[in-house]
Amino acid sequence: MKLDILVFGAHPDDAELGAGATIAKEVANGKKVGIVDLTRGELGTRGTAEIRDKEAAKAAEILGVAIRENLEFADGFFTNDREHQLEVIKMIRKYRPDTVLCNAIDDRHIDHSKGSKLVSDACFLSGLIKIDTKFSGEDAWQEAWRPKLVHHYIQWKNLEPDFVVDVSEYIEIKDKAIKAYASQFYDPNSDEPETPISSKNFTDSVIYRARDLGRMVGVAYGEGFTTERFIAVKNLDSLI
Ligand SMILES: [Zn+2]
């Protein structure tokens, strides 16, 4: 199955927090979008890998993505080396996306910047025909494929975006998808330990950042991204 957009996240919930509304908007526009999580988030202070699997499946349904897979890399300890790059390349070649979205280039959690560079490097390497990969469980070799564009969403740190997507109509879907991760975020009835992302302040911040980015570009809500090359526009009318 060819996808238009493939979204990678170091942990289940990264894609939703960074790009959930953009994903929902692209799906509504008829684009085929998929999510690949690098780890199961098994080191998360709250919840378990099994709980997070279920939450990720629920969030995927809310966003309407075509596929969601998990590479089961080691949370906290995966590295950007040949072994991990090859696994990411297999996903890129399997789904042949034109656009890849991945983690923030700099963030509080070390897996975010690591995952960001790993996916970005794999997008480049995936285009080299002399790197052989096979579909798992099959004999067929995969064809080389390099996504045209790689963008990085913004998560914990307030990075300055290179562009902002108008997500005014989709902020509620994003909010719902984030709340599917009930074990991770604000829940006054939870007796699990507090974490930086379990405070009300954090979940509120996701929405008020979207509002603030929207304010800066003249729409109700926005999601910001950094990108790896200049943004080209077909004409001036395509800018809001
Ligand atoms: Zn994360």
Side-chain angles (χ1 to χ4, degrees), residues 10-11 13-14 103 109 112 155:
H11 313 110
D13 77 20
D14 288 353
N103 280 110
H109 198 302
H112 294 175
Q155 204 166 322

Side-chain angles (χ1 to χ4, degrees), residues 8-221:
F8 286 90
H11 313 110
D13 77 20
D14 288 353
E16 287 80 359
L17 289 167
T22 302
I23 294 170
K25 182 172 190 175
E26 294 294 346
V27 169
N29 286 340
K31 294 281 167 55
K32 278 208 168 109
V33 186
I35 299 175
V36 173
D37 301 309
L38 302 183
T39 77
R40 294 171 74 201
E42 65 272 18
L43 293 187
T45 306
R46 290 180 159 210
T48 62
E50 291 71 26
I51 291 171
R52 300 190 74 173
D53 288 346
K54 287 198 190 101
E55 292 171 344
K58 192 174 164 196
E61 207 179 304
I62 293 166
L63 293 177
V65 294
I67 62 101
R68 182 170 209 148
E69 295 209 40
N70 196 303
L71 285 171
E72 300 188 20
F73 292 167
D75 190 8
F77 294 102
F78 70 84
T79 51
N80 181 8
D81 59 10
R82 182 185 178 133
E83 181 200 342
H84 291 84
Q85 286 160 357
L86 285 170
E87 293 307 312
V88 177
I89 290 169
K90 284 184 201 168
M91 286 292 151
I92 296 165
R93 290 178 173 179
K94 180 176 179 183
Y95 292 114
R96 305 192 304 281
D98 301 307
T99 297
V100 161
L101 303 180
C102 57
N103 280 110
I105 51 171
D106 177 28
D107 220 359
R108 183 187 70 87
H109 198 302
I110 60 166
D111 282 350
H112 294 175
S113 52
K114 252 194 300 173
S116 170
K117 188 75 170 76
L118 165 60
V119 171
S120 175
D121 289 352
C123 285
F124 174 79
L125 292 169
S126 177
L128 301 179
I129 56 171
K130 287 188 178 167
I131 296 176
D132 287 333
T133 55
K134 261 185 185 180
F135 286 107
S136 44
E138 294 176 29
D139 284 336
W141 294 102
Q142 293 184 303
E143 262 182 60
W145 181 268
R146 184 174 292 148
K148 287 193 199 87
L149 297 163
V150 180
H151 306 309
H152 301 262
Y153 46 81
I154 293 169
Q155 204 166 322
W156 176 271
K157 288 191 182 177
N158 282 320
L159 304 184
E160 187 167 325
D162 293 324
F163 67 92
V164 174
V165 178
D166 171 11
V167 294
S168 305
E169 313 287 313
Y170 299 90
I171 197 71
E172 278 162 27
I173 300 181
K174 173 177 178 142
D175 191 46
K176 219 173 139 194
I178 290 171
K179 286 182 177 148
Y181 294 90
S183 72
Q184 301 301 303
F185 301 118
Y186 179 64
D187 174 2
N189 300 316
S190 171
D191 49 17
E192 293 217 70
E194 283 290 319
T195 73
I197 60 169
S198 72
S199 68
K200 186 165 185 308
N201 192 336
F202 176 71
T203 32
D204 287 350
S205 78
V206 175
I207 305 302
Y208 67 65
R209 176 191 285 145
R211 257 190 118 133
D212 202 42
L213 284 173
R215 173 182 67 83
M216 302 288 278
V217 300
V219 301
Y221 293 94

Side-chain angles (χ1 to χ4, degrees), residues 217-232:
V217 300
V219 301
Y221 293 94
E223 265 177 349
F225 295 84
T226 65
T227 189
E228 299 198 353
R229 68 169 212 207
F230 294 138
I231 294 293

